[in-house]
Amino acid sequence: MRLFLKSDQRAINYSFFMLAVLLFLLAFIWNTPLEIWKGSRIIFTAPGNLITDYFKIANVGAAFMNGALMLFQALFVLKISKTKVNSMIVAAIFTIVGFSFFGKNLYNSTSIILGVYLYYRVSKIPFNWVPIALFGTALGPLVSVVSFGFSLPTITGLLLGNLVGMIAGFFMPILSQHFVKFHQGFSLYNIGFTAGMIGSFFMAIFQSFELKVTPVYLVSQGHNREMSLFLILLFSLIFFLGWWLNDFSLVGFSSLLKESGRGGSDYFSQFEKGVVLMNMSLLGLISTGYVLCIGGELNGPTIGGVFTVFGFGAVGKHIKNVIPILVGVFIVGYFSAHDVSSTAAILAALFGTTLAPISGYYGPIFGVLAGGIFIMFTTNSLAQLHAGMNLYNNGFAGGFVAAVMAPILDKLVSRPKEKNLK
């Protein structure tokens, strides 16, 4: 049994399937089938731009049902593409699960995935299109805003919304390959930066035709008890699963902590699966603990942040390079005008860990500095460029911060190893 879980792709796919079933069943704990149905209709037809908490506009059960549907969709894409699960796929899937609680849904993600696939088919350039397609659903609100936010006739809105989604998806692979050079791999959310640029481009078009898109801030409260129980139990179970797979030891964990994370280290190919699962679960527990310790709310967006950090525990993040970022965001947030317990500030902390490679490569002091700069940068007017249509706004901001800090630190800090981008 242990050998099966360590090596077989079927075991990994089965685990994701079981998680989807769990989310599906949990939906009915919080709400009745009728409430879930009504809430799902709201989710599918809402513009969904930042920050739209599905707990707030619909209900908890509908949000969990949306998470199950999004996970089933991702598994379907893996199935038909015959893509093997690797570290990047793991990160993409858990990011999708996280954002299914705010902003992403089955409707607004499908056309973007189709757009990426279309480019793959017509370009005749071999590349793994699936991670780009899954991460590219960051632009889901772009589809929803065009479909439902401009008061267009229903059929016109649906056709234009999906056309825009396919166009955005089509150009996603081209631009993402280019923009990774901009931040030199020091921001792990490269698609977030790419999506920010695409969203800003479309926003400029909308403004030219006097089509207004207003960023929103809809967040819920009062779910800490049940959500903390859910997250802590889930991450604890995964930790003990990893510990069991690793023969009840931490062998190999210290080696993982030596990774800088630059360019998105593929932990599953470098280390035993048990070690990676322990790293992911610890990041999930730390992220959950951070939200609770500063008096924040475990709502749709913050749970999305927790799951994203957890997922990227397979790609570039570990407790050693993440904690300095959290510290930096907290310190600057605490001594400035920001409310560190607000959902916006918590998202800056959690998603600010996109800069974990700066901490891992240049050292924790510079990680703290990166976190401090990040919260100042991301909480200002950057989201107005795309009006919240890029759900990975913090990835957008992280790309700029990394692009500024990396060349400066490269001159100030001597690091003879790992000079080439992975």
Side-chain angles (χ1 to χ4, degrees):
M1 179 65 177
R2 183 181 298 174
L3 181 61
F4 173 74
L5 290 173
K6 280 185 175 182
S7 59
D8 200 288
Q9 281 285 321
R10 290 176 298 172
I12 299 173
N13 292 331
Y14 179 75
S15 298
F16 281 129
F17 178 80
M18 291 303 296
L19 176 60
V21 171
L22 174 63
L23 294 174
F24 177 85
L25 295 176
L26 286 174
F28 296 98
I29 291 179
W30 280 287
N31 294 98
T32 65
L34 181 59
E35 290 171 338
I36 292 171
W37 169 250
K38 291 180 178 179
S40 296
R41 292 181 60 185
I42 294 173
I43 287 173
F44 288 159
T45 58
N49 53 320
L50 285 175
I51 300 174
T52 304
D53 183 353
Y54 289 159
F55 286 7
K56 177 76 171 180
I57 67 168
N59 53 63
V60 175
F64 270 78
M65 179 62 69
N66 188 54
L69 293 175
M70 290 294 292
L71 185 45
F72 281 129
Q73 181 192 56
L75 292 176
F76 177 74
V77 172
L78 292 178
K79 179 71 173 180
I80 63 172
S81 65
K82 300 180 181 179
T83 300
K84 291 186 177 181
V85 177
N86 56 24
S87 296
M88 192 60 71
I89 293 294
V90 169
I93 286 178
F94 281 110
T95 299
I96 280 181
V97 170
F99 278 87
S100 66
F101 293 105
F102 74 116
K104 292 185 183 183
N105 58 61
L106 200 61
Y107 169 73
N108 66 23
S109 61
T110 302
S111 60
I112 296 171
I113 294 173
L114 290 175
V116 176
Y117 176 72
L118 181 62
Y119 173 77
Y120 169 74
R121 295 294 298 178
V122 303
S123 69
K124 301 187 184 303
I125 300 173
F127 69 96
N128 188 358
W129 63 274
V130 173
I132 299 174
L134 297 180
F135 280 122
T137 54
L139 284 170
L142 175 63
V143 178
S144 293
V145 165
V146 175
S147 297
F148 309 113
F150 292 150
S151 301
L152 299 171
T154 302
I155 299 299
T156 302
L158 294 176
L159 289 175
L160 287 178
N162 284 280
L163 177 61
V164 166
M166 291 187 69
I167 292 172
F170 185 87
F171 289 106
M172 186 75 68
I174 304 172
L175 295 174
S176 64
Q177 294 174 18
H178 173 74
F179 287 136
V180 71
K181 301 174 184 177
F182 180 71
H183 52 73
Q184 302 180 51
F186 283 104
S187 174
L188 292 173
Y189 304 161
N190 181 53
I191 296 296
F193 184 82
T194 306
M197 298 299 289
I198 295 175
S200 299
F201 175 80
F202 276 104
M203 188 60 196
I205 296 175
F206 297 155
Q207 288 178 334
S208 298
F209 289 92
E210 297 184 339
L211 297 171
K212 295 183 179 181
V213 182
T214 305
V216 297
Y217 188 77
L218 300 171
V219 296
S220 62
Q221 297 179 335
H223 305 291
N224 280 11
R225 183 177 179 180
E226 60 268 32
M227 292 304 153
S228 61
L229 180 63
F230 163 65
L231 293 172
I232 291 172
L233 285 176
L234 177 64
F235 297 143
S236 297
L237 177 63
I238 294 172
F239 179 86
F240 284 108
L241 174 62
W243 193 37
W244 175 63
L245 290 174
N246 207 47
D247 297 323
F248 299 104
S249 75
L250 297 177
V251 174
F253 193 75
S254 60
S255 297
L256 186 149
L257 297 181
K258 294 177 182 178
E259 290 288 315
S260 71
R262 185 184 180 189
S265 302
D266 184 352
Y267 292 154
F268 275 119
S269 69
Q270 296 175 259
F271 304 98
E272 293 292 332
K273 286 184 174 61
V275 172
V276 182
L277 289 176
M278 286 190 286
N279 180 60
M280 293 172 65
S281 58
L282 287 175
L283 286 173
L285 290 168
I286 289 172
S287 300
T288 304
Y290 178 86
V291 177
L292 296 175
C293 287
I294 64 173
E297 293 287 338
L298 284 171
N299 49 34
T302 57
I303 291 174
V306 169
F307 269 112
T308 302
V309 176
F310 169 77
F312 272 86
V315 183
K317 294 183 184 180
H318 51 70
I319 59 175
K320 189 176 178 180
N321 64 10
V322 159
I323 290 177
I325 305 294
L326 295 176
V327 171
V329 171
F330 177 81
I331 291 174
V332 172
Y334 185 81
F335 289 102
S336 64
H338 303 288
D339 177 5
V340 293
S341 65
S342 68
T343 294
I346 291 172
L347 293 182
L350 297 176
F351 290 119
T353 57
T354 182
L355 297 171
I358 289 181
S359 176
Y361 190 83
Y362 294 110
I365 298 300
F366 297 105
V368 173
L369 178 62
I373 295 173
F374 181 82
I375 188 174
M376 293 185 290
F377 201 79
T378 193
T379 51
N380 280 293
S381 59
L382 195 62
Q384 295 179 8
L385 291 175
H386 51 77
M389 289 184 293
N390 170 28
L391 291 171
Y392 303 166
N393 180 61
N394 289 285
F396 189 34
F400 284 108
V401 174
V404 172
M405 290 191 67
I408 295 174
L409 294 178
D410 214 37
K411 297 295 183 182
L412 298 177
V413 182
S414 177
R415 282 298 305 267
K417 298 180 180 180
E418 297 182 32
K419 282 296 180 185
N420 294 321
L421 178 62
K422 295 179 180 178

